[in-house]
Amino acid sequence: MLREREATLEALENLRIAIALTLAVLLLVPVQTSRAAGPPAKPQRIVSLNLCTDQLLVDLVPRQRIAAVSHLAADPTVSAVDAKAAGIPTTRGEAESVLAFDPDLVLAGAFSTPATVSILQRVGRRVVRIGLANDLDAIRRITRTVAEAVGEPERGEALLATMDRRITANPAKIASPLRPTALVYQVNGLSAGRGTLADTLLQLAGLTNRATTIGLGPAGRVDLETLVAHPPDLVILTGPKDEYRTAVAENLRHPALSRVIAQHAGVTVPWRTWLCGTPHIADAVERLAAARARLTTPKAQP
């Protein structure tokens, strides 16, 4: 009798443990409810972990459906939607921080916060990862992917239509067949070679990327000596020369760079307009096209 009682108690204990584990799993997995056929409900508590998905999210979705964006979304030096993102709660991507917002959709970059993304997926949260865009086709694909995920495909198409209209209205393509050379020149001499988003924007604006002919050094850099020896028709800066008061930004304040710009031409195209492959690149293309038009328009004779 004693052995039978112990066996019964052990069986009951195992059953209790099994039930507890089952309940714990059910608490972590969202309940799938049946619903009538039709479009899926739009997510109402969206969290973005990446600056580029921040920009698409803010442009596509009403503010009340955005639970949080990355801490960079309202930074005017890197974000094209800083004013629209101001006041929205932010996250730095820690799993605990994201789960505190109880999101029904999380947007993440291809390489951002992999540990957080892994945890979110393990506990059953919906995560959509977005890759990088280096050309117009990729921008269209990524914009449509995010628009579909947030339930706003029509708004996504409207953003792309506006982008295409602004780019194809580029007056520089009509004004002259000439393609002046241009070089992106950033902090520490960083530039942009073939196959980059910046290279695509230069082509769209009717410019030739000088970095593809003079070659780039380690980490995609152009040293100042090379720039002076092989100056482009147009030097493209990404912000004020005093924006970064660090040693690696001294190249932007060097007198030799100022002489090259004075002898040729320079234009500032804020990094925030083309750091991410989103429809905001139309801003950068328009600035570049206007600079090209100034270079190729014949000057009136005195």
Side-chain angles (χ1 to χ4, degrees):
M1 289 291 293
L2 183 58
R3 287 182 180 178
E4 292 177 0
R5 182 181 178 186
E6 289 177 349
T8 301
L9 290 174
E10 183 177 355
L12 290 172
E13 179 63 15
N14 290 337
L15 179 60
R16 185 188 66 80
I17 293 173
I19 292 172
L21 290 174
T22 301
L23 289 174
V25 171
L26 289 174
L27 287 174
L28 294 177
V29 179
V31 177
Q32 302 295 325
T33 58
S34 61
R35 61 180 66 175
K42 295 180 180 180
Q44 300 296 314
R45 299 181 307 282
I46 309 171
V47 172
S48 170
L49 306 180
N50 176 270
L51 174 63
C52 299
T53 55
D54 291 340
Q55 297 185 26
L56 289 169
L57 177 61
V58 169
D59 282 337
L60 288 166
V61 173
R63 193 182 184 97
Q64 61 268 25
R65 291 173 52 205
I66 302 175
V69 289
S70 84
H71 66 286
L72 295 174
D75 184 341
T77 62
V78 294
S79 175
V81 295
D82 59 302
K84 293 169 69 175
I88 297 176
T90 62
T91 175
R92 289 184 174 271
E94 305 90 343
E96 299 85 352
S97 167
V98 176
L99 286 171
F101 292 105
D102 190 25
D104 51 6
L105 172 65
V106 177
L107 301 173
F111 308 103
S112 60
T113 56
T116 294
V117 168
S118 177
I119 292 172
L120 292 172
Q121 291 174 328
R122 288 206 304 271
V123 299
R125 300 293 174 158
R126 182 187 176 201
V127 179
V128 174
R129 304 188 75 168
I130 305 300
L132 299 174
N134 289 337
D135 56 36
L136 283 181
D137 286 341
I139 291 173
R140 294 188 184 101
R141 183 176 63 254
I142 287 172
T143 301
R144 288 179 175 130
T145 297
V146 174
E148 196 70 37
V150 301
E152 300 290 346
E154 295 85 3
R155 179 58 181 156
E157 293 304 319
L159 289 178
L160 292 175
T162 299
M163 176 190 75
D164 288 336
R165 184 170 60 253
R166 293 174 65 185
I167 290 175
T168 55
N170 178 354
K173 291 184 177 179
I174 303 171
S176 169
L178 299 176
R179 296 183 67 88
T181 59
L183 180 76
V184 175
Y185 193 65
Q186 303 180 74
V187 170
N188 204 25
L190 291 175
S191 191
R194 195 183 309 278
T196 61
L197 180 59
D199 184 49
T200 294
L201 302 187
L202 294 181
Q203 294 178 47
L204 290 171
L207 296 162
T208 299
N209 189 359
R210 192 55 179 272
T212 63
T213 58
I214 63 175
L216 297 177
R221 295 179 61 247
V222 173
D223 57 63
L224 193 55
E225 293 80 3
T226 300
L227 176 61
V228 172
H230 305 281
D233 297 314
L234 179 68
V235 176
I236 302 167
L237 304 177
T238 59
K241 63 182 180 179
D242 294 324
E243 186 171 34
Y244 299 102
R245 302 299 302 179
T246 60
V248 293
E250 285 301 315
N251 63 301
L252 300 179
R253 294 181 280 273
H254 199 284
L257 176 62
S258 299
R259 284 196 296 272
V260 169
I261 293 175
Q263 293 168 1
H264 298 273
V267 64
T268 297
V269 181
W271 199 23
R272 67 198 198 104
T273 62
W274 56 271
L275 175 58
C276 291
T278 75
H280 288 281
I281 58 109
D283 295 332
V285 174
E286 286 179 341
R287 286 176 182 255
L288 291 169
R292 177 184 180 274
R294 290 192 292 271
L295 288 173
T296 57
T297 301
K299 296 181 180 179
Q301 296 296 323

